[in-house]
Amino acid sequence: MTENNDGVGPTNRVAPKRGRVELADLTLIVRPPGRPSDIRTFTADESNDAHTYAAETGASVEQL
């Protein structure tokens, strides 16, 4: 049997490193250009992480 690698079906997703947060607590978003699967959201307390991620991916930090 061979594996189906055509992009259809389940994908390997990486679990977030932080614990669960309320949707209302997510205040920042980083959208790397041309990479919708790499979009990440952050809380206000994670602002430094958001700016670091944005710099690494050539994106900017936006307010939600």
mmCIF file of all heavy atoms in Angstrom, residues 15-30 40-55 61-64:
data_model
loop_
_atom_site.group_PDB
_atom_site.id
_atom_site.type_symbol
_atom_site.label_atom_id
_atom_site.label_comp_id
_atom_site.label_asym_id
_atom_site.label_seq_id
_atom_site.Cartn_x
_atom_site.Cartn_y
_atom_site.Cartn_z
ATOM 1 N N ALA A 15 0.505 21.081 17.064
ATOM 2 C CA ALA A 15 -0.314 21.615 18.147
ATOM 3 C C ALA A 15 0.297 22.917 18.666
ATOM 4 O O ALA A 15 1.512 23.064 18.712
ATOM 5 C CB ALA A 15 -0.405 20.607 19.283
ATOM 6 N N PRO A 16 -0.542 23.870 19.039
ATOM 7 C CA PRO A 16 -0.011 25.115 19.576
ATOM 8 C C PRO A 16 0.749 24.876 20.880
ATOM 9 O O PRO A 16 0.445 23.946 21.621
ATOM 10 C CB PRO A 16 -1.253 25.967 19.832
ATOM 11 C CG PRO A 16 -2.408 25.075 19.697
ATOM 12 C CD PRO A 16 -1.979 23.825 19.006
ATOM 13 N N LYS A 17 1.739 25.719 21.152
ATOM 14 C CA LYS A 17 2.557 25.550 22.347
ATOM 15 C C LYS A 17 1.885 26.106 23.593
ATOM 16 O O LYS A 17 2.221 25.720 24.694
ATOM 17 C CB LYS A 17 3.914 26.218 22.145
ATOM 18 C CG LYS A 17 4.732 25.528 21.087
ATOM 19 C CD LYS A 17 6.062 26.188 20.894
ATOM 20 C CE LYS A 17 6.809 25.466 19.786
ATOM 21 N NZ LYS A 17 8.096 26.041 19.506
ATOM 22 N N ARG A 18 0.950 27.020 23.436
ATOM 23 C CA ARG A 18 0.278 27.593 24.603
ATOM 24 C C ARG A 18 -0.971 26.794 24.931
ATOM 25 O O ARG A 18 -1.482 26.020 24.113
ATOM 26 C CB ARG A 18 -0.088 29.050 24.344
ATOM 27 C CG ARG A 18 -1.191 29.185 23.311
ATOM 28 C CD ARG A 18 -1.760 30.605 23.290
ATOM 29 N NE ARG A 18 -2.721 30.703 22.234
ATOM 30 C CZ ARG A 18 -2.566 31.417 21.132
ATOM 31 N NH1 ARG A 18 -1.470 32.098 20.950
ATOM 32 N NH2 ARG A 18 -3.500 31.442 20.212
ATOM 33 N N GLY A 19 -1.480 27.019 26.117
ATOM 34 C CA GLY A 19 -2.741 26.387 26.507
ATOM 35 C C GLY A 19 -3.903 27.068 25.812
ATOM 36 O O GLY A 19 -3.731 28.022 25.057
ATOM 37 N N ARG A 20 -5.059 26.588 26.069
ATOM 38 C CA ARG A 20 -6.254 27.174 25.453
ATOM 39 C C ARG A 20 -6.487 28.586 25.979
ATOM 40 O O ARG A 20 -6.259 28.873 27.140
ATOM 41 C CB ARG A 20 -7.476 26.320 25.748
ATOM 42 C CG ARG A 20 -7.454 25.006 25.024
ATOM 43 C CD ARG A 20 -8.839 24.364 25.095
ATOM 44 N NE ARG A 20 -8.899 23.182 24.286
ATOM 45 C CZ ARG A 20 -9.320 23.161 23.030
ATOM 46 N NH1 ARG A 20 -9.705 24.251 22.448
ATOM 47 N NH2 ARG A 20 -9.353 22.043 22.353
ATOM 48 N N VAL A 21 -6.959 29.434 25.089
ATOM 49 C CA VAL A 21 -7.349 30.793 25.465
ATOM 50 C C VAL A 21 -8.741 31.044 24.916
ATOM 51 O O VAL A 21 -9.192 30.373 23.984
ATOM 52 C CB VAL A 21 -6.357 31.857 24.932
ATOM 53 C CG1 VAL A 21 -4.984 31.665 25.528
ATOM 54 C CG2 VAL A 21 -6.296 31.860 23.428
ATOM 55 N N GLU A 22 -9.405 32.008 25.485
ATOM 56 C CA GLU A 22 -10.723 32.398 24.995
ATOM 57 C C GLU A 22 -10.565 33.147 23.669
ATOM 58 O O GLU A 22 -9.581 33.876 23.467
ATOM 59 C CB GLU A 22 -11.425 33.308 26.008
ATOM 60 C CG GLU A 22 -11.752 32.629 27.317
ATOM 61 C CD GLU A 22 -12.810 31.553 27.160
ATOM 62 O OE1 GLU A 22 -13.772 31.755 26.385
ATOM 63 O OE2 GLU A 22 -12.670 30.506 27.814
ATOM 64 N N LEU A 23 -11.506 32.977 22.789
ATOM 65 C CA LEU A 23 -11.476 33.651 21.498
ATOM 66 C C LEU A 23 -11.345 35.168 21.673
ATOM 67 O O LEU A 23 -10.596 35.827 20.957
ATOM 68 C CB LEU A 23 -12.736 33.317 20.687
ATOM 69 C CG LEU A 23 -12.823 33.888 19.290
ATOM 70 C CD1 LEU A 23 -11.656 33.417 18.439
ATOM 71 C CD2 LEU A 23 -14.142 33.507 18.650
ATOM 72 N N ALA A 24 -12.026 35.706 22.658
ATOM 73 C CA ALA A 24 -11.988 37.144 22.906
ATOM 74 C C ALA A 24 -10.602 37.627 23.321
ATOM 75 O O ALA A 24 -10.297 38.816 23.204
ATOM 76 C CB ALA A 24 -13.002 37.519 23.982
ATOM 77 N N ASP A 25 -9.746 36.724 23.805
ATOM 78 C CA ASP A 25 -8.393 37.098 24.236
ATOM 79 C C ASP A 25 -7.415 37.213 23.067
ATOM 80 O O ASP A 25 -6.317 37.746 23.238
ATOM 81 C CB ASP A 25 -7.843 36.087 25.246
ATOM 82 C CG ASP A 25 -8.603 36.124 26.565
ATOM 83 O OD1 ASP A 25 -9.201 37.177 26.877
ATOM 84 O OD2 ASP A 25 -8.603 35.102 27.274
ATOM 85 N N LEU A 26 -7.784 36.723 21.895
ATOM 86 C CA LEU A 26 -6.911 36.821 20.725
ATOM 87 C C LEU A 26 -7.064 38.212 20.133
ATOM 88 O O LEU A 26 -8.148 38.600 19.694
ATOM 89 C CB LEU A 26 -7.270 35.748 19.697
ATOM 90 C CG LEU A 26 -7.083 34.319 20.180
ATOM 91 C CD1 LEU A 26 -7.605 33.335 19.144
ATOM 92 C CD2 LEU A 26 -5.628 34.040 20.500
ATOM 93 N N THR A 27 -5.978 38.980 20.174
ATOM 94 C CA THR A 27 -6.056 40.378 19.754
ATOM 95 C C THR A 27 -5.126 40.710 18.598
ATOM 96 O O THR A 27 -5.229 41.798 18.032
ATOM 97 C CB THR A 27 -5.709 41.305 20.931
ATOM 98 O OG1 THR A 27 -4.388 40.990 21.387
ATOM 99 C CG2 THR A 27 -6.698 41.136 22.076
ATOM 100 N N LEU A 28 -4.215 39.816 18.254
ATOM 101 C CA LEU A 28 -3.233 40.078 17.208
ATOM 102 C C LEU A 28 -3.216 38.935 16.196
ATOM 103 O O LEU A 28 -3.442 37.778 16.567
ATOM 104 C CB LEU A 28 -1.836 40.227 17.820
ATOM 105 C CG LEU A 28 -1.685 41.255 18.934
ATOM 106 C CD1 LEU A 28 -0.338 41.097 19.619
ATOM 107 C CD2 LEU A 28 -1.850 42.660 18.379
ATOM 108 N N ILE A 29 -2.933 39.263 14.953
ATOM 109 C CA ILE A 29 -2.828 38.235 13.915
ATOM 110 C C ILE A 29 -1.629 38.553 13.024
ATOM 111 O O ILE A 29 -1.344 39.721 12.750
ATOM 112 C CB ILE A 29 -4.131 38.129 13.082
ATOM 113 C CG1 ILE A 29 -4.067 36.933 12.129
ATOM 114 C CG2 ILE A 29 -4.436 39.424 12.351
ATOM 115 C CD1 ILE A 29 -5.411 36.571 11.500
ATOM 116 N N VAL A 30 -0.934 37.503 12.621
ATOM 117 C CA VAL A 30 0.191 37.627 11.692
ATOM 118 C C VAL A 30 -0.129 36.750 10.490
ATOM 119 O O VAL A 30 -0.390 35.547 10.651
ATOM 120 C CB VAL A 30 1.521 37.198 12.349
ATOM 121 C CG1 VAL A 30 2.660 37.263 11.348
ATOM 122 C CG2 VAL A 30 1.824 38.063 13.571
ATOM 123 N N ARG A 40 -1.042 32.951 12.170
ATOM 124 C CA ARG A 40 -1.101 32.697 13.605
ATOM 125 C C ARG A 40 -1.764 33.864 14.317
ATOM 126 O O ARG A 40 -1.642 35.006 13.897
ATOM 127 C CB ARG A 40 0.303 32.522 14.178
ATOM 128 C CG ARG A 40 0.983 31.266 13.736
ATOM 129 C CD ARG A 40 2.438 31.376 14.076
ATOM 130 N NE ARG A 40 2.910 30.310 14.923
ATOM 131 C CZ ARG A 40 4.123 30.267 15.458
ATOM 132 N NH1 ARG A 40 4.966 31.246 15.272
ATOM 133 N NH2 ARG A 40 4.493 29.261 16.189
ATOM 134 N N THR A 41 -2.451 33.545 15.405
ATOM 135 C CA THR A 41 -3.055 34.572 16.244
ATOM 136 C C THR A 41 -2.368 34.568 17.601
ATOM 137 O O THR A 41 -1.822 33.547 18.038
ATOM 138 C CB THR A 41 -4.566 34.317 16.421
ATOM 139 O OG1 THR A 41 -4.761 32.996 16.922
ATOM 140 C CG2 THR A 41 -5.309 34.497 15.111
ATOM 141 N N PHE A 42 -2.424 35.723 18.258
ATOM 142 C CA PHE A 42 -1.730 35.906 19.526
ATOM 143 C C PHE A 42 -2.592 36.718 20.480
ATOM 144 O O PHE A 42 -3.433 37.512 20.048
ATOM 145 C CB PHE A 42 -0.411 36.661 19.303
ATOM 146 C CG PHE A 42 0.561 35.954 18.404
ATOM 147 C CD1 PHE A 42 0.483 36.087 17.027
ATOM 148 C CD2 PHE A 42 1.558 35.148 18.927
ATOM 149 C CE1 PHE A 42 1.378 35.449 16.187
ATOM 150 C CE2 PHE A 42 2.460 34.494 18.097
ATOM 151 C CZ PHE A 42 2.367 34.643 16.730
ATOM 152 N N THR A 43 -2.340 36.545 21.765
ATOM 153 C CA THR A 43 -2.977 37.380 22.781
ATOM 154 C C THR A 43 -2.130 38.634 22.969
ATOM 155 O O THR A 43 -0.990 38.707 22.506
ATOM 156 C CB THR A 43 -3.090 36.633 24.119
ATOM 157 O OG1 THR A 43 -1.769 36.379 24.616
ATOM 158 C CG2 THR A 43 -3.867 35.325 23.976
ATOM 159 N N ALA A 44 -2.666 39.618 23.691
ATOM 160 C CA ALA A 44 -1.906 40.840 23.972
ATOM 161 C C ALA A 44 -0.621 40.516 24.735
ATOM 162 O O ALA A 44 0.413 41.138 24.504
ATOM 163 C CB ALA A 44 -2.771 41.820 24.757
ATOM 164 N N ASP A 45 -0.681 39.535 25.626
ATOM 165 C CA ASP A 45 0.508 39.141 26.387
ATOM 166 C C ASP A 45 1.586 38.523 25.498
ATOM 167 O O ASP A 45 2.744 38.437 25.897
ATOM 168 C CB ASP A 45 0.144 38.155 27.495
ATOM 169 C CG ASP A 45 -0.659 38.802 28.622
ATOM 170 O OD1 ASP A 45 -0.619 40.048 28.745
ATOM 171 O OD2 ASP A 45 -1.329 38.064 29.366
ATOM 172 N N GLU A 46 1.213 38.057 24.318
ATOM 173 C CA GLU A 46 2.152 37.426 23.390
ATOM 174 C C GLU A 46 2.619 38.389 22.298
ATOM 175 O O GLU A 46 3.121 37.973 21.268
ATOM 176 C CB GLU A 46 1.491 36.196 22.744
ATOM 177 C CG GLU A 46 1.133 35.113 23.739
ATOM 178 C CD GLU A 46 0.273 34.022 23.126
ATOM 179 O OE1 GLU A 46 -0.614 34.325 22.300
ATOM 180 O OE2 GLU A 46 0.489 32.858 23.486
ATOM 181 N N SER A 47 2.490 39.670 22.553
ATOM 182 C CA SER A 47 2.845 40.684 21.564
ATOM 183 C C SER A 47 4.290 40.542 21.080
ATOM 184 O O SER A 47 4.552 40.643 19.881
ATOM 185 C CB SER A 47 2.624 42.079 22.144
ATOM 186 O OG SER A 47 3.023 43.066 21.234
ATOM 187 N N ASN A 48 5.222 40.302 21.985
ATOM 188 C CA ASN A 48 6.625 40.125 21.581
ATOM 189 C C ASN A 48 6.775 38.932 20.646
ATOM 190 O O ASN A 48 7.512 39.002 19.655
ATOM 191 C CB ASN A 48 7.532 39.960 22.797
ATOM 192 C CG ASN A 48 7.715 41.253 23.565
ATOM 193 O OD1 ASN A 48 7.507 42.336 23.035
ATOM 194 N ND2 ASN A 48 8.075 41.137 24.831
ATOM 195 N N ASP A 49 6.073 37.827 20.951
ATOM 196 C CA ASP A 49 6.115 36.640 20.093
ATOM 197 C C ASP A 49 5.535 36.955 18.719
ATOM 198 O O ASP A 49 6.052 36.498 17.694
ATOM 199 C CB ASP A 49 5.337 35.483 20.722
ATOM 200 C CG ASP A 49 5.961 34.978 22.008
ATOM 201 O OD1 ASP A 49 7.186 35.149 22.194
ATOM 202 O OD2 ASP A 49 5.218 34.417 22.836
ATOM 203 N N ALA A 50 4.447 37.730 18.693
ATOM 204 C CA ALA A 50 3.815 38.096 17.422
ATOM 205 C C ALA A 50 4.772 38.912 16.560
ATOM 206 O O ALA A 50 4.918 38.647 15.362
ATOM 207 C CB ALA A 50 2.531 38.876 17.675
ATOM 208 N N HIS A 51 5.454 39.876 17.164
ATOM 209 C CA HIS A 51 6.383 40.707 16.401
ATOM 210 C C HIS A 51 7.597 39.899 15.930
ATOM 211 O O HIS A 51 8.082 40.101 14.809
ATOM 212 C CB HIS A 51 6.797 41.923 17.228
ATOM 213 C CG HIS A 51 5.731 42.961 17.267
ATOM 214 N ND1 HIS A 51 4.722 42.962 18.192
ATOM 215 C CD2 HIS A 51 5.495 44.013 16.464
ATOM 216 C CE1 HIS A 51 3.915 43.978 17.966
ATOM 217 N NE2 HIS A 51 4.356 44.636 16.913
ATOM 218 N N THR A 52 8.066 38.974 16.741
ATOM 219 C CA THR A 52 9.174 38.109 16.335
ATOM 220 C C THR A 52 8.764 37.243 15.153
ATOM 221 O O THR A 52 9.489 37.123 14.163
ATOM 222 C CB THR A 52 9.634 37.234 17.512
ATOM 223 O OG1 THR A 52 10.083 38.078 18.568
ATOM 224 C CG2 THR A 52 10.747 36.282 17.093
ATOM 225 N N TYR A 53 7.583 36.625 15.246
ATOM 226 C CA TYR A 53 7.089 35.769 14.170
ATOM 227 C C TYR A 53 6.895 36.581 12.884
ATOM 228 O O TYR A 53 7.252 36.136 11.793
ATOM 229 C CB TYR A 53 5.788 35.082 14.588
ATOM 230 C CG TYR A 53 5.243 34.135 13.554
ATOM 231 C CD1 TYR A 53 5.964 33.005 13.172
ATOM 232 C CD2 TYR A 53 4.019 34.358 12.952
ATOM 233 C CE1 TYR A 53 5.478 32.124 12.216
ATOM 234 C CE2 TYR A 53 3.514 33.480 11.998
ATOM 235 C CZ TYR A 53 4.253 32.369 11.636
ATOM 236 O OH TYR A 53 3.757 31.506 10.678
ATOM 237 N N ALA A 54 6.358 37.785 13.022
ATOM 238 C CA ALA A 54 6.153 38.635 11.847
ATOM 239 C C ALA A 54 7.489 38.960 11.178
ATOM 240 O O ALA A 54 7.605 38.904 9.948
ATOM 241 C CB ALA A 54 5.426 39.918 12.247
ATOM 242 N N ALA A 55 8.488 39.282 11.967
ATOM 243 C CA ALA A 55 9.809 39.594 11.406
ATOM 244 C C ALA A 55 10.410 38.380 10.705
ATOM 245 O O ALA A 55 11.031 38.508 9.643
ATOM 246 C CB ALA A 55 10.738 40.087 12.508
ATOM 247 N N VAL A 61 2.239 42.639 12.086
ATOM 248 C CA VAL A 61 1.284 42.322 13.153
ATOM 249 C C VAL A 61 0.071 43.217 12.961
ATOM 250 O O VAL A 61 0.202 44.434 12.842
ATOM 251 C CB VAL A 61 1.912 42.550 14.546
ATOM 252 C CG1 VAL A 61 0.901 42.263 15.642
ATOM 253 C CG2 VAL A 61 3.145 41.681 14.715
ATOM 254 N N GLU A 62 -1.116 42.607 12.931
ATOM 255 C CA GLU A 62 -2.352 43.359 12.777
ATOM 256 C C GLU A 62 -3.223 43.164 14.012
ATOM 257 O O GLU A 62 -3.208 42.111 14.629
ATOM 258 C CB GLU A 62 -3.137 42.859 11.561
ATOM 259 C CG GLU A 62 -2.385 42.945 10.252
ATOM 260 C CD GLU A 62 -3.140 42.264 9.136
ATOM 261 O OE1 GLU A 62 -4.367 42.479 9.019
ATOM 262 O OE2 GLU A 62 -2.513 41.497 8.398
ATOM 263 N N GLN A 63 -3.967 44.204 14.353
ATOM 264 C CA GLN A 63 -4.931 44.129 15.456
ATOM 265 C C GLN A 63 -6.209 43.419 14.978
ATOM 266 O O GLN A 63 -6.637 43.641 13.852
ATOM 267 C CB GLN A 63 -5.308 45.526 15.939
ATOM 268 C CG GLN A 63 -4.188 46.290 16.595
ATOM 269 C CD GLN A 63 -3.892 45.777 17.992
ATOM 270 O OE1 GLN A 63 -4.778 45.370 18.726
ATOM 271 N NE2 GLN A 63 -2.629 45.792 18.355
ATOM 272 N N LEU A 64 -6.754 42.588 15.802
ATOM 273 C CA LEU A 64 -8.040 41.953 15.493
ATOM 274 C C LEU A 64 -9.160 42.785 16.056
ATOM 275 O O LEU A 64 -9.014 43.534 16.965
ATOM 276 C CB LEU A 64 -8.114 40.537 16.096
ATOM 277 C CG LEU A 64 -7.226 39.509 15.444
ATOM 278 C CD1 LEU A 64 -7.300 38.189 16.210
ATOM 279 C CD2 LEU A 64 -7.662 39.277 14.010
#
